């Protein structure tokens, strides 16, 4: 696998039973890259480990006065230096590739899961948690997967070196062979403490990030109520907690690093002290002592890899657990292998057996629900995005076919849900409206039906390039340069272009004025003629344009009729639509007359 081949055609089906199993699965998916990194890592470390041998030969040649052996040692040094440089370059190249491909695979898996679950994802997992997993956690997971191959190369080189030293110079080799396991295992008691502090830092950083995001998103409101300083002080406090946790975590990792420096230093001192005694006694040559000294010094390199793999696993294990938890969320429906399979596009009535809501095919149905949150949940159910707690309830039916039984692609093509807070992605208007569609509705027709003339004019005036074509005008992140009503209308136009069999709109005109709302209602009815459309609203202007109005009370269909009929016959419906309470009966008749006159 090469970086240029990304993204993966299929990132695979991960093992999400636990964090370690997920890491193991990731490692298995790129065995080839791991093998290459291990090979080049072994070559690099072997060349570094053999360099003291060449240096020892050179020293002994000088002591013996042998020019031929000195030249041979110099040639060996040059060869080892060349191999070392080449292997180090290739190791870095392959290691970075392993890191990036592992991170890219996890990001693709997360993106696929987000597309599969839709709006349900953020109700089952906090949005901040999803963002944290797809950014910082992905990086830590990639780091561990990449470092495994270098750790294996270091382990193999260390074992071979200890055996070689024991054979080459048994007296000193046994000292080294006994000391290396102690050095490698000395930091294990410190790792749990380091992991806990790292998790604490990550948790505090996540809370600070979530607080910052909320503050930025609500900055306009905060300025209006003078609450900027209050939230800034809260963020300062949260950031200081993050700093304190980061310092505590850094102290522990500094202690681990110190142990990895001090203990090898003590081993080196012991080897030199014992080796000098052996040289004085004439039991070994000076060149042999130099060789053993250089090889023991080399052990600092693989020991750093041992420390790195321990640190990488400590950070990546909770990150992998969080990623596995998100990737383990499932959509109720057909088996995994059938989820992306193409299927026939169902047609017919849209029916929810839980609430009894029926939206006849080809007609505009308005739904009035006194609880906005309940309306949002029902809208998601109609789109097949069942909440985690709804998995045991019957599925919504389209033309008698359960949405949960349809392949994911077919279900998404059949029913589209636009929630009350639609998101506009940054880019040009043409890119925003370039969405999968049937081709029956043009961008011009959708923009006209959504009454976007003033939005187009505004985009043209604010275009940085001075272009007169509004389709080339750029929209800022989340459409922040537009008003709430303008964002709502552009989102409605985007939904209309897709031309789904059933379109579900949750309060699509909540942020527009009444005159614009009336024109949108007419445009929506005209453009969606012959298509199933469900609108959650309490606006009289939209309710009057609907073919039928369904009123829900306590999660069930209470009454069905036209807007005018329900105003006259259902006091509860009248209270929701007119915003009147039961304590105001004397104005009810006047209100009905006003509503009917307004809608006429």
């Amino acid at each position: 696998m090469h970086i240029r081949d990304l993204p993966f055609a299929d990132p695979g089906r991960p093992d999400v039973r636990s964090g370690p199993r997920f890491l193991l699965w990731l490692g298995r998916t790129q065995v080839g890259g791991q093998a290459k990194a291990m090979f080049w890592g072994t070559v690099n470390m072997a060349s570094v480990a053999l360099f003291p041998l060449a240096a020892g030969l050179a020293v002994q040649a000088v002591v013996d006065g042998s020019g031929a052996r000195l030249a041979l040692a110099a040639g060996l040094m040059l060869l080892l230096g060349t191999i070392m440089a080449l292997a180090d370059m290739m190791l870095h190249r392959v290691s970075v590739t392993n890191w990036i491909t592992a991170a890219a695979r996890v990001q693709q898996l997360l993106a696929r899961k987000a597309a599969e679950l839709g709006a349900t994802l953020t109700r089952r997992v906090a949005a901040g948690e999803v963002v944290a997993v797809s950014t910082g956690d992905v990086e830590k997971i990639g780091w561990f997967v990449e470092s495994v191959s270098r750790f294996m190369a270091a382990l193999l080189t260390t074992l071979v070196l200890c055996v070689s030293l024991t054979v080459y110079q048994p007296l000193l080799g046994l000292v080294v062979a006994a000391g290396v396991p102690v050095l490698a295992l000395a930091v294990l008691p410190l790792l749990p403490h380091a992991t806990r502090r790292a998790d604490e830092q990550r948790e505090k950083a996540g809370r600070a990030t979530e607080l910052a995001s909320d503050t930025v998103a609500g900055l306009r409101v905060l300025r209006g109520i003078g609450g900027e300083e209050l939230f800034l002080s809260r963020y300062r406090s949260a950031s200081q907690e993050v700093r304190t946790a980061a310092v505590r975590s850094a102290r522990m990792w500094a202690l681990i690093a110190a142990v990895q420096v001090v203990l090898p230093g003590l081993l080196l001192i012991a080897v030199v002290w014992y080796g000098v005694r052996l040289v004085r006694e004439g039991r070994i040559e000076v060149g042999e002592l130099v060789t053993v000294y250089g090889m023991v010094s080399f052990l600092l390199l693989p020991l750093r890899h041992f420390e790195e793999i321990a640190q990488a696993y400590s950070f990546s294990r909770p990150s992998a657990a969080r990623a596995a938890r998100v990737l383990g969320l499932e959509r109720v429906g057909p088996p995994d292998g059938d989820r992306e399979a193409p299927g026939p596009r169902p047609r017919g009535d849209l029916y929810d057996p839980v609430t009894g809501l029926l939206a006849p095919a080809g007609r505009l149905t308005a739904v009035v629900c006194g609880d906005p949150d309940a309306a949002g949940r029902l809208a998601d159910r109609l789109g097949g995005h069942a909440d985690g707690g709804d998995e045991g309830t019957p599925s919504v039916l389209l033309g008698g076919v359960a949405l949960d039984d349809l392949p994911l692609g077919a279900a998404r093509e059949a029913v589209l849900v636009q929630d009350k807070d639609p998101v506009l992605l940054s880019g040009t208007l043409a890119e925003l409206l370039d969405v999968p569609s049937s081709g029956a509705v043009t961008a011009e027709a959708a923009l006209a039906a959504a009454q976007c003339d003033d939005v187009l004019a505004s985009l043209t005036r604010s275009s940085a390039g001075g272009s007169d074509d509004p389709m080339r005008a750029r929209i800022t992140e989340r459409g922040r340069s537009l008003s709430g009503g303008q964002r709502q209308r552009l989102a409605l136009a985007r939904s209309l272009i897709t031309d789904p069999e059933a379109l579900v709109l949750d309060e699509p005109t909540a942020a527009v004025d009444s005159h614009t709302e009336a024109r949108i209602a007419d445009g929506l009815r005209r453009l969606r003629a012959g298509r199933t459309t469900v609108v959650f609203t309490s606006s009289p202007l939209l309710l009057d344009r609907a073919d039928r109005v369904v009123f829900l009370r306590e999660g069930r269909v209470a009454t069905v009729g036209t807007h005018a009929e329900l105003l006259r016959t259902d006091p509860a419906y009248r209270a929701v639509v007119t915003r009147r309470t039961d304590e105001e009966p004397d104005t009810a008749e006047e209100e009905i007359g006003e509503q009917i006159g307004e809608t006429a």
Side-chain angles (χ1 to χ4, degrees):
M1 182 66 191
H2 301 282
I3 295 178
R4 63 174 176 268
D5 298 326
L6 295 176
F8 295 97
D10 180 12
R13 296 291 169 181
D15 186 345
V16 295
R17 288 175 290 178
S18 67
R21 288 178 181 272
F22 180 62
L23 291 174
L24 180 62
W25 176 83
L26 273 178
R28 290 201 307 265
T29 58
Q30 48 190 73
V31 174
Q34 297 281 24
K36 290 179 183 178
M38 184 176 176
F39 169 77
W40 287 114
T42 303
V43 172
N44 177 58
M45 292 187 187
S47 61
V48 175
L50 289 174
F51 205 85
L53 176 62
L57 292 175
V59 171
Q60 193 62 44
V62 172
V63 172
D64 297 339
S66 174
R69 281 189 293 162
L70 182 60
L72 179 62
L76 182 58
M77 286 183 178
L78 180 61
L79 176 61
L80 290 175
T82 303
I83 295 175
M84 191 187 310
L86 175 64
D88 188 60
M89 178 185 67
M90 294 303 299
L91 173 62
H92 179 74
R93 179 186 179 92
V94 177
S95 296
V96 171
T97 300
N98 287 340
W99 188 334
I100 293 177
T101 51
R105 187 183 299 274
V106 178
Q107 287 180 325
Q108 277 191 250
L109 290 171
L110 290 169
R112 185 174 68 184
K113 182 58 63 175
E116 177 184 333
L117 296 177
T120 308
L121 176 62
T122 53
R123 289 205 300 272
R124 301 171 71 176
V125 180
E129 183 77 3
V130 177
V131 173
V133 171
S134 61
T135 53
D137 287 340
V138 164
E139 184 176 345
K140 293 181 180 66
I141 291 170
W143 175 28
F144 173 75
V145 173
E146 174 270 330
S147 62
V148 167
S149 55
R150 290 187 289 112
F151 164 72
M152 295 301 296
L155 179 62
L156 177 62
T157 307
T158 301
L159 293 175
V160 172
L161 180 62
C162 290
V163 173
S164 301
L165 277 176
T166 304
V167 174
Y168 176 71
Q169 183 44 253
L171 295 175
L172 292 177
L174 290 175
V175 174
V176 175
V180 166
V182 176
L183 301 182
L185 301 176
V187 299
L188 290 184
L190 301 176
L191 289 179
H193 302 285
T195 301
R196 283 196 297 270
R197 293 189 180 187
D199 288 344
E200 179 184 354
Q201 176 193 351
R202 189 259 183 199
E203 182 180 354
K204 291 182 181 296
R207 286 202 297 264
T209 301
E210 185 176 353
L211 179 60
S213 300
D214 290 343
T215 303
V216 172
L219 190 58
R220 182 178 300 177
V221 177
L222 292 176
R223 285 175 175 170
I225 63 175
E228 297 166 272
E229 284 302 321
L230 174 61
F231 276 81
L232 285 175
S233 64
R234 290 180 181 176
Y235 180 73
R236 290 191 194 100
S237 176
S239 64
Q240 288 303 309
E241 291 181 4
V242 174
R243 182 189 64 80
T244 302
V247 171
R248 293 184 70 249
S249 178
R251 285 174 180 167
M252 183 56 67
W253 288 111
L255 177 59
I256 292 175
V259 170
Q260 292 286 45
V261 172
V262 171
L263 293 184
L266 294 176
L267 176 62
L268 192 60
I269 292 173
V271 168
V272 171
W273 176 78
Y274 184 51
V276 169
R277 286 187 57 188
L278 294 177
V279 171
R280 285 180 176 179
E281 295 173 1
R283 301 169 68 179
I284 64 172
E285 300 291 339
V286 175
E288 292 176 330
L289 176 60
V290 171
T291 299
V292 174
Y293 172 81
M295 289 184 174
V296 174
S297 300
F298 158 77
L299 287 175
L300 292 175
L301 176 61
L303 284 175
R304 281 199 295 270
H305 287 295
F306 295 166
E307 174 194 349
E308 182 188 10
I309 193 66
Q311 186 175 3
Y313 182 72
S314 297
F315 278 104
S316 65
R317 182 179 54 81
S319 296
R322 286 186 288 266
R325 185 166 60 251
V326 174
L327 295 175
L329 300 175
E330 290 293 340
R331 169 182 177 259
V332 179
D336 288 345
D338 299 334
R339 287 178 186 265
E340 302 296 336
R345 190 170 180 176
R347 301 175 183 274
D349 298 343
L350 186 65
Y351 175 67
D352 177 28
V354 175
T355 60
L357 172 63
L358 174 67
R363 303 180 67 184
L364 174 59
T365 302
V367 180
V368 178
C369 182
D371 183 357
D373 293 333
R377 291 193 295 270
L378 177 55
D380 286 338
R381 271 187 53 76
L382 292 177
H385 308 289
D387 197 347
D390 292 342
E391 292 183 359
T393 59
S395 170
V396 170
L397 307 178
L398 179 61
V401 179
L403 291 182
D404 286 347
D405 293 337
L406 290 174
L408 184 58
R412 292 290 164 82
E413 289 180 4
V415 184
L416 173 67
V417 178
Q418 176 182 304
D419 61 27
K420 66 181 67 177
D421 297 312
V423 175
L424 302 183
L425 302 179
S426 60
T428 64
L429 180 58
E431 292 170 342
L432 176 70
L433 301 180
D434 184 15
V435 292
S437 65
S438 66
V441 179
T442 64
E444 292 75 13
L447 290 168
Q451 300 300 309
C452 292
D453 293 343
D454 65 315
V455 184
L456 300 181
S458 175
L459 289 174
T460 303
R461 288 194 301 270
S462 61
S463 176
S467 173
D468 292 333
D469 184 5
M471 301 301 289
R472 299 175 60 184
R474 296 199 65 81
I475 298 173
T476 57
E477 180 187 2
R478 300 179 67 89
R480 296 191 187 280
S481 60
L482 302 173
S483 67
Q486 290 174 328
R487 288 196 299 269
Q488 216 169 39
R489 282 177 282 163
L490 283 180
L492 176 59
R494 180 178 59 187
S495 299
L496 292 174
I497 287 176
T498 61
D499 189 36
E501 181 64 28
L503 176 62
V504 181
L505 304 171
D506 188 5
E507 295 289 353
T509 59
V512 301
D513 60 82
S514 59
H515 297 289
T516 305
E517 187 177 34
R519 294 195 296 270
I520 291 175
D522 292 333
L524 177 64
R525 182 179 178 85
R526 181 172 56 253
L527 191 65
R528 291 288 298 173
R531 293 290 197 189
T532 307
T533 308
V534 180
V535 181
F536 287 81
T537 183
S538 59
S539 167
L541 295 170
L542 283 174
L543 294 171
D544 186 62
R545 268 72 171 182
D547 295 313
R548 66 201 306 264
V549 177
V550 179
F551 178 50
L552 274 71
R553 294 186 64 183
E554 299 179 355
R556 296 288 301 176
V557 172
T559 52
V560 179
T562 65
H563 173 56
E565 291 171 352
L566 296 183
L567 276 177
R568 286 192 296 266
T569 61
D570 193 325
Y573 174 83
R574 183 165 60 244
V576 172
V577 173
T578 63
R579 277 75 167 178
R580 298 284 184 179
T581 65
D582 293 338
E583 283 95 24
E584 302 172 308
D586 54 305
T587 60
E589 294 299 329
E590 297 178 7
E591 187 65 33
I592 294 173
E594 293 175 4
Q595 292 279 0
I596 295 175
E598 181 181 3
T599 56

